[in-house]
């Protein structure tokens, strides 16, 4: 299922798809894609952005039966992404107190965010998204960011660079033919980013969703995107499937 060009429709239609996709992704994670005693919840209010999907782990006293997927270790099954960025651990920062975000149903270990047009609609909204995303990582929460929109004037080099600059500023250019971004952050220490540039028309790869440092499960993005698209209103699919109108050329 190729990724569609969501810039061709208004934000309300993407919001509808976004809501259904995150539900499908949450359902898939709970249907066997997470290891035993991990589970996913939708749009829970935690310190930081209101997450689209949270991955949580039960406390030992509340653990249930050992049913579910087995995660992968980076050492034996490294994620296959085009870019890997590692932040060198800071000696004193590592010694600082770390706030653990907890949830009434378990300990939050990871957050999935699907970027929407609203996140880039103003300078304040964009800065809020970037700063809160970085703060989640600093607090030890792993993060997966899915951005199906091309760079804007707020993030001319892509959403990953905007987040990564909160940790370490360095030059980073997205391939011109791959302007969309999937970025998975292992909160470490050290913090490591696994970045996969993608484009309209590509199939979504199953990028890593980290649950512990150097331990992840593949996030079933492609299967859940296709499931959501199959249920998208048929009269509206034409807005995204029809060929784009050619731009007028100058005489």
């Amino acid at each position: 299922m190729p990724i569609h060009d969501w810039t061709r429709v208004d934000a309300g239609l993407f919001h509808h798809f976004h809501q259904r996709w995150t539900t499908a992704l949450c359902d898939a994670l709970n249907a066997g894609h997470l290891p035993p005693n991990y589970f996913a919840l939708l749009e829970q209010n935690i310190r930081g952005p209101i997450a689209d999907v949270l991955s949580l782990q039960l406390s030992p006293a509340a653990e249930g039966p050992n049913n579910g997927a087995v995660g992968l270790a980076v050492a034996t099954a490294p994620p296959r992404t085009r870019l890997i960025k590692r932040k060198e651990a800071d000696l004193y920062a590592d010694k600082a107190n770390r706030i653990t975000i907890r949830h009434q149903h378990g300990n939050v270990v990871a957050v999935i965010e699907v970027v929407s047009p609203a996140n880039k609609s103003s300078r304040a909204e964009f800065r809020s998204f970037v700063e809160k995303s970085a703060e989640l990582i600093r607090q030890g929460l792993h993060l997966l960011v899915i951005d199906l929109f091309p760079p804007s004037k707020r993030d001319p080099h892509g959403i990953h660079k905007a987040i990564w600059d909160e940790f370490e500023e360095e030059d980073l250019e997205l391939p011109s033919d791959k302007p969309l971004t999937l970025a998975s952050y292992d909160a470490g220490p050290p913090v490591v980013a696994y970045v996969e540039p993608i484009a309209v028309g590509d199939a979504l790869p199953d990028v890593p969703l980290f649950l512990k440092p150097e331990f992840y499960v593949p996030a079933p993005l492609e299967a859940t995107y296709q499931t959501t698209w199959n249920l998208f209103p048929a009269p509206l699919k034409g807005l995204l499937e029809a060929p784009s109108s050619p731009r007028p050329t100058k005489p």
Side-chain angles (χ1 to χ4, degrees), residues 80-213:
R80 296 181 178 179
T81 56
R82 184 175 301 199
L83 299 175
I84 300 176
K85 296 292 182 180
R86 182 181 301 269
K87 182 186 183 299
E88 294 304 321
D90 183 275
L91 177 63
Y92 296 102
D94 287 347
K95 292 181 178 179
N97 291 333
R98 173 169 285 168
I99 298 171
T100 301
I101 297 178
R102 297 181 181 274
H103 189 277
Q104 62 179 337
H105 300 303
N107 295 332
V108 179
V109 296
V111 174
I112 301 175
E113 287 283 357
V114 180
V115 177
S116 71
N119 296 130
K120 302 182 183 184
S121 62
S122 70
R123 183 180 302 173
E125 287 288 343
F126 184 70
R127 285 305 308 160
S128 177
F129 180 87
V130 169
E131 290 172 359
K132 290 177 179 178
S133 295
E135 184 60 24
L136 289 177
I137 298 170
R138 291 191 185 101
Q139 291 170 353
L141 293 185
H142 310 290
L143 178 65
L144 171 57
V145 175
I146 302 165
D147 188 3
L148 301 187
F149 290 88
S152 68
K153 62 182 180 182
R154 321 240 183 247
D155 61 333
H157 303 291
I159 192 72
H160 164 67
K161 176 163 171 53
I163 294 173
W164 195 248
D165 279 353
E166 298 293 306
F167 299 94
E168 196 166 85
E169 291 192 30
E170 58 184 5
D171 292 336
L172 177 65
E173 292 285 344
L174 288 173
S176 59
D177 61 336
K178 303 282 184 181
L180 316 182
T181 304
L182 303 175
S184 183
Y185 300 90
D186 177 346
V191 177
V192 183
Y194 296 85
V195 184
E196 185 63 30
I198 53 175
V200 170
D202 289 352
L204 280 163
D206 289 346
V207 293
L209 171 62
F210 283 89
L211 304 176
K212 299 177 183 179

